[in-house]
Amino acid sequence: MSKFDLTGLGVALITPFKEDNSIDYGALSRLVRFHLESGTDYIVALGTTAETPTLSKKEKREVVRFIVEQVNGEIPVVMGIGGNNTADLVSDLGSTDFSGISAILSVTPYYNKPTQEGLYQHYCALSRISPLPVILYNVPGRTGVNMTAETTLRLAKECGNIVGVKEASGDLNQIKEIIDRAPEGFHVISGDDALTTDVIALGGIGVISVFANAFPVEMAWLVKNALEGNAADARSKMNADFGALFHLMFVEGNPAGVKCLLWLKGMIHNNLRLPLVPVSEKTLQQIKRELAKFS
């Protein structure tokens, strides 16, 4: 089983679309190169930020293959594989070509609202079949269910190929409990840009970032300084520089905010697939004003 160091900055890569809503592979290539040159430690393909629910199975295969080819082994690639039908996920894990993939990131089942025992059994089933290390993803704001510290730690201790959790619950007490009680080799990654330094200060090892789509150099700096013990100074500088943009990235949902930002930077078309839509004119103007401070 392949292993890689989860420490540092991961980017939850967007999927750029053309005006006709087809995938813009030219823009995707430029984005990947941008990250290879900007200090991103690994790329997460087919995460929530990639608008994965709106991609067909064929498009998902094509996108992840394209990213792997573009990266060409320079940094690891993590592949998002999640859903609310455990049997289908087990089938996918058993039949997917994972060439060039270092790990999978799997979100808690959404809409079904399983119990903690259901979450445990779900991930046990994925763990048994997965040929790669598994990173759990807890984001109750999207899924409708919070995976507790107790469940996360149970999985960490009983499933050897579950190697970490992307924690986006926003509950620092829960995150601290996981970090304090985690077995050796199990790591916590922030799933919330604004809490990156707080999670690292507690013992987390980095972030899987939305904001880094547009500002990888700055997020890499933030993570590096926090990991070196300068979390308070890094937090102060980033909040002063980017606090407003952090908020604006999510005020109308993800990835609408960061796609607007990338569009204003001239990197992509400002297109999303329904049911998601671009940010409102009001938010666009606010993002434009904030971005102008860095030009």
Side-chain angles (χ1 to χ4, degrees), residues 10-295:
V11 60
L13 197 66
I14 63 128
T15 304
F17 298 120
K18 297 180 181 179
E19 294 292 349
D20 64 1
N21 258 352
S22 62
I23 296 169
D24 188 344
Y25 285 101
L28 185 56
S29 177
R30 292 190 294 274
L31 286 171
V32 171
R33 177 50 50 187
F34 178 51
H35 288 288
L36 294 178
E37 296 172 351
S38 301
T40 298
D41 293 300
Y42 59 96
I43 286 174
V44 177
L46 303 184
T48 304
T49 305
E51 297 175 71
T52 305
T54 69
L55 301 179
S56 68
K57 286 191 174 183
K58 181 182 178 183
E59 286 176 326
K60 291 176 187 178
R61 290 193 299 269
E62 291 172 346
V63 165
V64 77
R65 287 298 104 218
F66 185 84
I67 291 172
V68 166
E69 290 170 4
Q70 295 293 307
V71 168
N72 195 29
E74 292 187 43
I75 58 176
V77 177
V78 174
M79 181 177 176
I81 300 183
N84 58 0
N85 184 327
T86 307
D88 273 358
L89 287 180
V90 168
S91 177
D92 286 345
L93 285 169
S95 61
T96 297
D97 177 9
F98 288 109
S99 301
I101 305 298
S102 295
I104 69 166
L105 175 70
S106 194
V107 69
T108 55
Y110 40 82
Y111 188 74
N112 303 25
K113 300 187 75 171
T115 64
Q116 295 302 307
E117 181 63 23
L119 292 173
Y120 170 78
Q121 295 291 347
H122 170 82
Y123 280 118
C124 283
L126 302 191
S127 173
R128 283 192 293 267
I129 194 68
S130 177
L132 294 175
V134 177
I135 305 166
L136 311 173
Y137 181 17
N138 184 40
V139 56
R142 281 189 177 269
T143 64
V145 62
N146 175 55
M147 185 162 61
T148 65
E150 180 181 3
T151 300
T152 299
L153 290 164
R154 185 182 177 194
L155 289 163
K157 292 170 183 175
E158 297 181 13
C159 301
N161 65 336
I162 292 181
V163 298
V165 59
K166 177 184 176 183
E167 247 292 346
S169 65
D171 185 340
L172 289 174
N173 290 325
Q174 174 170 296
I175 292 169
K176 183 177 188 302
E177 182 178 356
I178 297 169
I179 291 169
D180 289 348
R181 296 173 53 199
E184 185 176 357
F186 183 86
H187 301 289
V188 175
I189 305 160
S190 176
D192 184 335
D193 283 301
L195 292 181
T196 298
T197 53
D198 298 280
V199 172
I200 292 175
L202 291 173
I205 62 167
V207 63
I208 295 176
S209 171
V210 173
F211 190 67
N213 273 280
F215 285 96
V217 171
E218 292 78 4
M219 284 302 294
W221 177 90
L222 176 75
V223 171
K224 179 177 182 292
N225 276 268
L227 288 169
E228 291 176 350
N230 302 318
D233 290 342
R235 181 190 305 116
S236 177
K237 177 170 174 51
M238 288 299 286
N239 283 343
D241 290 348
F242 293 108
L245 272 179
F246 278 167
H247 170 71
L248 289 168
M249 286 306 90
F250 301 99
V251 71
E252 293 188 32
N254 179 40
V258 76
K259 277 197 160 184
C260 176
L261 183 54
L262 286 165
W263 171 63
L264 290 170
K265 294 185 73 172
M267 301 178 73
I268 65 169
H269 296 289
N270 191 23
N271 293 326
L272 294 90
R273 284 185 177 175
L274 289 170
L276 300 184
V277 295
V279 298
S280 65
E281 181 65 23
K282 176 183 176 181
T283 298
L284 187 158
Q285 293 303 325
Q286 289 175 321
I287 293 173
K288 184 181 291 187
R289 284 194 294 273
E290 286 300 319
L291 183 60
K293 297 177 182 178
F294 305 97
S295 59

